[in-house]
Amino acid sequence: MFRNYLAAALNNLLRNRLYTAISVGGLAVAFAAALLIAMFVSDEFSYDKWIPGAKDVYRVSTFTRFSNGLPSQAGDTVPPDVAGWLRLDFPQMQAVARFWPDQHTVRHDQTESVEPMWWADPDVFTVLPLPSVAGDLKTALATPDSVVLTQTLARKYFGSANPIGQTLMLDQRFPMRVTAVIKDLPSNTHFTLTIVASGRAPFSALAQMDAMSAKSRTKPWNSYTYFRLKPGASVQPIIDRMPAFMKAHMPDRVTNARATTMLPVVPIAAIHFMPPAVAQWLPRGDRAATTAVAVVGVLIVLMAAINFVNLMTARSSRRAVEVGVRKLVGAHRRDLVVQFIGEALIYAALAAFIAFAAAETLMPGFNAFLGRGMAFHHGHVLLVLLGLVVAVGVVAGAYPALVLSGFRPAAVLKGATVRAAGGAVLRQGLVGFQFAVLISLLVATAVIWRQTVFATKQSLRLDSDQMLLVQERCGQDAFEKQAAALPGVVGAACSNMAPVLNTFSTAAHLPQGGQITIYSNEVGFGFFELYGLKPLAGRFFSRDHGGDWTTVVDDHPDRTEAVVVNETAARQLGFAKPTDAVGKSFRWIRIKTMDGTFFKMHPTVVIGVVEDFPMNSIRSRIEPTAFYVEPDQQQFVNLKLKGRDIPETLKALDAVWRRTGHAGALDSLFLDRMMQDRYRDITQQGQLFGAFAGIAVFIACLGLVGLAAFATERRTKEIGIRKAVGASAFDVLKLFLWQFTVPVLWANLVAWPLAFVAMRYWLQGFAYRIPLTVWPFALAAAAAVLIAWLTVAAQASRAARARPVIALRYE
């Protein structure tokens, strides 16, 4: 019997090549997309779980709640002394270790580069037992001159030679000995380790921090602090005791006039989906967006299954005689159900085979697009495909099987036309569902694309085109002046930070009483002009005004400092208009960013007001900010390059860098690239949803082609009669187009509300966002109708041009 069923299934498959190609092609595309989506979702939810014993590893972070109404702030780093306090207070911790970010020029023989590196405690590889390829990680950082490299860095500096025991020079002064090599970290981790150096080195940031008094308020909170529990220990007692821990060791930080600070304990596997934070190692994942991607994958498979159901039910009358004969010779309905579900499984299995090959071929490109290193595990992929084949084959084949097996033999053998009850209504509903999914994806793609453009271009309010940032202490040498004189450079200006990085917060006391939190940032002369900004009121800094700059040694309580404030600061200082703020004074306490200490309270006068521009990200609101000139505090040179001859200009800058006595390579980055990296997640989301929308369009078109071909075939005589009594080809074309336009129009009633709710929720993650207007919805609806028309038009126009006499002879 099985051979009989298989022969019948293959015969039906080969006899209806068009419908087979549509059903199998749609399922194959959907399965391939589902496989890639499943691998992406699995990768997102597996962050840092690959680390041995990850369930026992935690990180201590910070969370600050401000008392003046400012939004709460999360941070990934803590004071460097926290690690030592944890070791003393919590015996259930097996090991505690810190990472401290830094950057140095690294050299071996003729290879030299500026590398990000991480100072770490010797126990770091006990907390995080990363996979190694050479050396003993347990003792790798025990000596002050030891350093651990990843495989990529080892190959970069030592080629194929064994690097263990070899020496790297830091800043051409400090020799460091390679003691171990670890494997390159997979993409599903929040770490970006390349070089890990011993924090016991006397010149390391960790050693310098440890040498300072624990009560010093000048220590930066730059320590990433992790701990591992002893086997069988529970983390809950540690979490419960953290308030008392802070009160004992950091009493002034628990609660003060400005804020309340806490030290949350976060499982390492939960970090990826935590909310964004200050000093986060990598951009966070978005659990809601990842779930949405998974749902889209399910919907794409469902759309392909709908095509299968539609085509099977539409052509059910063609197999009515076969069903009647089988029933007449003794086949039971159960046998027929098994046969038709079996046929559906054969279709699905064939599609799965094609999808497997396609997904494996596309995997490298998919990894490159996402910047991941996901592996194509054949065993896991085959299990997923088997699940898809069974689920889609049974579910998609169940309804056609029940309909076909229910035909009465007497009726079909007498030549009566047999149609499934409600089949046309069901097909219309399923087509409508397909296009509801398609319209929703088109709306999501349009909204995400518009928000991406807004984030990376429109909201910046700065002229970021061809802006190069060079990390260099301004005022220390002639690099800025010589770089500005190059023919490929339009202008140069200094700043303490890149224009879109965090600034430091401090307190500003209002003349009328009370205080606000205000952020500060050092800039150089010509900074605002270089970025195309203009004063809303007053003026910007000028060397012609001797009082426009200050120095770190000028710390007198009566010293008046000139500042430019942004619009938000002017409003929070109590001025209704920008012009009202010019010439007014307030008193503030400002941080000395080079050593972390604070100035004394001193007066400042507002000389100008600049328009708001984001200093961090459009995900957070623009904070009140005061800008001032302090040459000794500026660590970036901002260079505006000409649009032509960029490579030649970069080579010239590198020559100037070396000519002015700098060791190592020029450390530079284009501002546009920085913005792209900052918003890479939403850029990728837009591209992913665009790809999904394209797949949905393809599947929907396949389904419409099949249904249009069937409708043309089934209504051949009707078309002939209509043309014989005077209908034109255009009338016939309108008939077909309207038949498939109706479900598309109804689909908007489902798609629009769902897409509106989903996109409004997504946009709420941004403090500054585009308005959710009707245009994306209207354009998506128009695109869906146009797609339906173009798809159906080929089949419909062919039927409309046919000669009536041929149609009337059709059987």
Side-chain angles (χ1 to χ4, degrees), residues 634-716:
Q634 295 165 6
Q635 303 185 66
F636 276 93
V637 178
N638 303 257
L639 299 172
K640 176 73 172 178
L641 307 185
K642 293 181 180 178
R644 298 176 59 186
D645 302 326
I646 295 293
E648 290 78 5
T649 302
L650 294 177
K651 289 181 180 179
L653 286 170
D654 189 66
V656 170
W657 179 260
R658 295 184 179 277
R659 189 167 62 244
T660 51
H662 292 84
L666 180 71
D667 184 17
S668 62
L669 179 68
F670 280 99
L671 181 59
D672 281 341
R673 174 63 182 274
M674 182 183 293
M675 295 304 300
Q676 291 171 6
D677 291 343
R678 175 160 295 181
Y679 296 110
R680 183 181 299 169
D681 56 339
I682 64 169
T683 301
Q684 287 183 346
Q685 287 174 25
Q687 292 170 336
L688 278 177
F689 276 90
F692 297 153
I695 293 171
V697 168
F698 176 75
I699 293 174
C701 289
L702 279 182
L704 286 182
V705 167
L707 289 178
F710 168 74
T712 302
E713 181 182 340
R714 184 172 62 85
R715 303 179 71 173
T716 301

Side-chain angles (χ1 to χ4, degrees), residues 145-149 158 163-168 176-181:
D145 65 340
S146 54
V147 65
V148 175
L149 306 180
F158 300 100
I164 303 300
Q166 298 291 323
T167 299
L168 287 174
M176 300 293 285
R177 182 171 53 88
V178 179
T179 55
V181 176

Side-chain angles (χ1 to χ4, degrees), residues 72 96 233 253 259 267 290 335 399 426 459 478 523 556 566 652-653 670 726 789:
S72 299
V96 183
R253 295 288 186 174
T290 303
D335 300 324
Y399 178 80
L426 175 65
S459 69
V523 298
H556 192 277
N566 64 357
L653 286 170
F670 280 99
W789 284 357

Side-chain angles (χ1 to χ4, degrees), residues 777-802:
F777 300 86
L779 290 175
V785 172
L786 182 61
I787 289 168
W789 284 357
L790 293 175
T791 305
V792 174
Q795 293 289 340
S797 61
R798 186 174 62 181
R801 292 195 306 268

Side-chain angles (χ1 to χ4, degrees), residues 105-113 157 167-172 658:
T105 298
V106 179
R107 182 183 180 88
H108 176 74
D109 290 340
Q110 301 303 312
T111 304
E112 183 180 40
S113 296
Y157 287 97
T167 299
L168 287 174
M169 293 297 296
L170 299 189
D171 299 334
Q172 298 184 349
R658 295 184 179 277

Side-chain angles (χ1 to χ4, degrees), residues 436-725:
V437 174
L438 173 59
I439 292 167
S440 298
L441 288 175
L442 291 175
V443 170
T445 302
V447 172
I448 294 174
W449 175 77
R450 290 182 61 211
Q451 180 67 12
T452 303
V453 173
F454 177 75
T456 56
K457 297 294 182 183
Q458 299 171 2
S459 69
L460 189 58
R461 302 183 184 179
L462 300 172
D463 179 12
S464 62
D465 188 42
Q466 307 300 341
M467 192 67 71
L468 185 72
L469 307 177
V470 178
Q471 190 162 356
E472 161 62 4
R473 291 280 299 277
C474 289
Q476 299 296 312
D477 52 39
F479 173 75
E480 178 198 355
K481 292 181 180 179
Q482 293 190 29
L486 292 175
V489 177
V490 177
C494 293
S495 63
N496 179 57
M497 290 186 171
V500 290
L501 293 179
N502 287 320
T503 52
F504 297 93
S505 62
T506 184
H509 293 254
L510 307 180
Q512 62 271 29
Q515 70 177 38
I516 65 169
T517 296
I518 192 168
Y519 287 74
S520 62
N521 201 354
E522 300 95 336
V523 298
F525 294 107
F527 173 84
F528 296 116
E529 294 87 343
L530 187 68
Y531 281 95
L533 297 170
K534 296 181 180 179
L536 299 177
R539 62 177 178 82
F540 290 150
F541 301 109
S542 172
R543 288 186 172 87
D544 296 334
H545 295 78
D548 277 6
W549 70 89
T550 185
T551 63
V552 293
V553 298
D554 189 10
D555 189 12
H556 192 277
D558 295 328
R559 170 185 56 82
T560 300
E561 186 174 41
V563 297
V564 172
V565 299
N566 64 357
E567 296 174 80
T568 300
R571 286 193 301 269
Q572 293 198 16
L573 288 170
F575 303 109
K577 297 181 297 183
T579 52
D580 297 339
V582 177
K584 302 300 192 300
S585 297
F586 61 90
R587 299 179 67 83
W588 72 335
I589 302 173
R590 180 165 61 75
I591 191 171
K592 301 176 184 177
T593 55
M594 293 303 297
D595 59 10
T597 59
F598 289 86
F599 278 103
K600 298 174 183 176
M601 176 77 69
H602 63 274
T604 185
V605 61
V606 178
I607 64 170
V609 179
V610 67
E611 64 178 309
D612 284 340
F613 60 92
M615 294 297 295
N616 185 16
S617 164
I618 64 169
R619 291 183 172 92
S620 56
R621 293 196 171 277
I622 295 174
E623 304 293 355
T625 306
F627 302 90
Y628 55 93
V629 176
E630 189 168 336
D632 294 336
Q633 301 281 293
Q634 295 165 6
Q635 303 185 66
F636 276 93
V637 178
N638 303 257
L639 299 172
K640 176 73 172 178
L641 307 185
K642 293 181 180 178
R644 298 176 59 186
D645 302 326
I646 295 293
E648 290 78 5
T649 302
L650 294 177
K651 289 181 180 179
L653 286 170
D654 189 66
V656 170
W657 179 260
R658 295 184 179 277
R659 189 167 62 244
T660 51
H662 292 84
L666 180 71
D667 184 17
S668 62
L669 179 68
F670 280 99
L671 181 59
D672 281 341
R673 174 63 182 274
M674 182 183 293
M675 295 304 300
Q676 291 171 6
D677 291 343
R678 175 160 295 181
Y679 296 110
R680 183 181 299 169
D681 56 339
I682 64 169
T683 301
Q684 287 183 346
Q685 287 174 25
Q687 292 170 336
L688 278 177
F689 276 90
F692 297 153
I695 293 171
V697 168
F698 176 75
I699 293 174
C701 289
L702 279 182
L704 286 182
V705 167
L707 289 178
F710 168 74
T712 302
E713 181 182 340
R714 184 172 62 85
R715 303 179 71 173
T716 301
K717 280 192 175 182
E718 177 190 344
I719 294 169
I721 294 172
R722 287 180 179 274
K723 295 192 73 174
V725 297

